[in-house]
Amino acid sequence: MHMSEKITIGIHSASWTEHSRRVLQGLLNYIEEFPNIQVRDFRFSSNDPNLVGNPPWAGKVDGAIVSAGRNPGITTWLKRGKVPVVMASGDLIDSGFVSVYTDVHSVGRLAAAHLTEAGFEHIAFIGYQKSDGSKRRRDGLSDELTKRGIKLKSLALKEIPVDSVEEESDISESTVEKIQQLLEKSPRPLAVVTLNDVLAEFVAKVATEMGLSIPDEIGVLGVGDSERARMADPPLSSVHTPGVEIGYRCASLLHSMILGNTPKETVFEIPAEQVSARRSTTGWKRAAVTDIDRAVNYIREHACDGIRLKDVSSAVRIPIRTLEIEFKKQIGRSMGEVIREVRLERVKQLLESTNLSTQRIAAMVGYSHYSYLNKLLRDELNVTPSQYRKQQRRAKSELE
């Protein structure tokens, strides 16, 4: 296939979940660079695929990005589509399919650091028996906690609640009892890390119904940093997973495969980079309580939205001059410097992990013109964006 010929990529995932929407966003970011690529969305419900017929994209696309678990017969079903497939998940990494997923050790490192800093010395993991990704995430967390002298307790459930557009699945009493037993028998305060945010919300509900205080007796940390985590009561701390970066890498790999290239590897892990801390692990007592804490949090969350100092001032309801003086006194740097730091880290990550243009990256970090981005890198790193990208890729290839 020629580089300029029209290419159709299918995406097959639970499109109502936040992770799938992020993966789709990464795919859309990628195709902005390639006008000859179009996307078709083949959504599935919890009853599909039935794995009897052909995949819904068969005969309609040149390749597909798929999020799917290890269902019996899944690999045979995927091959019946007769086009290259890249998995945007980690449950089929030993099946020969190219897979892109969140690096398990990065999740373990972030979770271990966050929970130990919050004061938890007893930590458990609750996952899913049928998920290889769950087992690897448990092992990654266990390795990181071992370095800190903490032994991980773990519980693998036969069933877990699912994020579905249909009615919530009923969870059996025996599953609830297993969670209750873990919470009852473990020393407190206990932090529970779960496979995902849906399970975290369920564990928090069980703990609350047992009369346990969150987070003073039980801390809960999810994975995914989804809307459900933010809407839960209490709001759930969660490891933010790199769905956009996963989608972009899936698209890049699939595009190359459609053009006839075979990847040197089949497993690609993208690191998670932060924990979104909320009340399920930090609580009211340890949450940000000062105006300066709130200003710093606001900057971290919105620096790439193109905010100005007056926006920070409005958010914390303090006159801008008063805020500037107090901020510099407590943090040691000005608000403008902290905004630049947050933007710089995001720029570096995008230059390292994507092929997005300078103009596109500038817009994604809140700059109205790419010249501001060029100036940022010249001032801070003494390089142009293209020089930084080349340096990082050269360094990475030397390590491989």
Side-chain angles (χ1 to χ4, degrees), residues 278-383:
R278 301 188 181 93
R279 293 208 310 274
S280 68
T281 56
T282 59
W284 291 110
K285 297 172 190 169
R286 290 181 290 241
V289 290
T290 72
D291 294 323
I292 303 306
D293 286 331
R294 291 193 295 120
V296 170
N297 286 346
Y298 182 84
I299 288 171
R300 283 179 179 155
E301 289 176 12
H302 298 285
C304 294
D305 297 340
I307 59 169
R308 299 179 179 183
L309 301 189
K310 65 179 183 181
D311 299 313
V312 186
S313 170
S314 299
V316 297
R317 298 179 181 174
I318 295 176
I320 190 164
R321 185 70 189 130
T322 306
L323 180 60
E324 283 184 306
I325 293 168
E326 194 58 33
F327 192 99
K328 183 76 180 280
K329 191 160 80 178
Q330 287 194 34
I331 304 300
R333 304 186 304 289
S334 70
M335 287 192 288
E337 286 172 323
V338 175
I339 290 172
R340 280 167 66 90
E341 285 171 13
V342 175
R343 286 178 173 169
L344 179 62
E345 285 308 306
R346 179 65 174 150
V347 167
K348 285 161 62 179
Q349 187 248 324
L350 287 168
L351 286 170
E352 289 168 27
S353 64
T354 78
N355 292 317
L356 290 170
S357 66
T358 305
Q359 291 92 329
R360 176 70 181 142
I361 292 175
M364 289 174 73
V365 299
Y367 286 126
S368 57
H369 196 270
Y370 69 87
S371 60
Y372 295 115
L373 177 59
N374 292 344
K375 185 176 187 315
L376 175 71
L377 265 75
R378 276 202 311 273
D379 290 349
E380 300 295 333
L381 303 174
N382 200 29
V383 291

Side-chain angles (χ1 to χ4, degrees), residues 209-224:
E209 288 174 352
M210 291 171 66
L212 297 169
S213 170
I214 299 175
D216 297 319
E217 292 178 286
I218 304 293
V220 182
L221 177 66
V223 177

Side-chain angles (χ1 to χ4, degrees), residues 21 54 63 65 68 88 101 159 185 189 215 233 306 327 338 351-352 387:
R21 290 199 296 273
N54 292 328
I65 295 171
Y101 59 96
E159 56 175 357
K185 293 180 179 178
D233 183 23
F327 192 99
V338 175
L351 286 170
E352 289 168 27
Q387 286 170 339

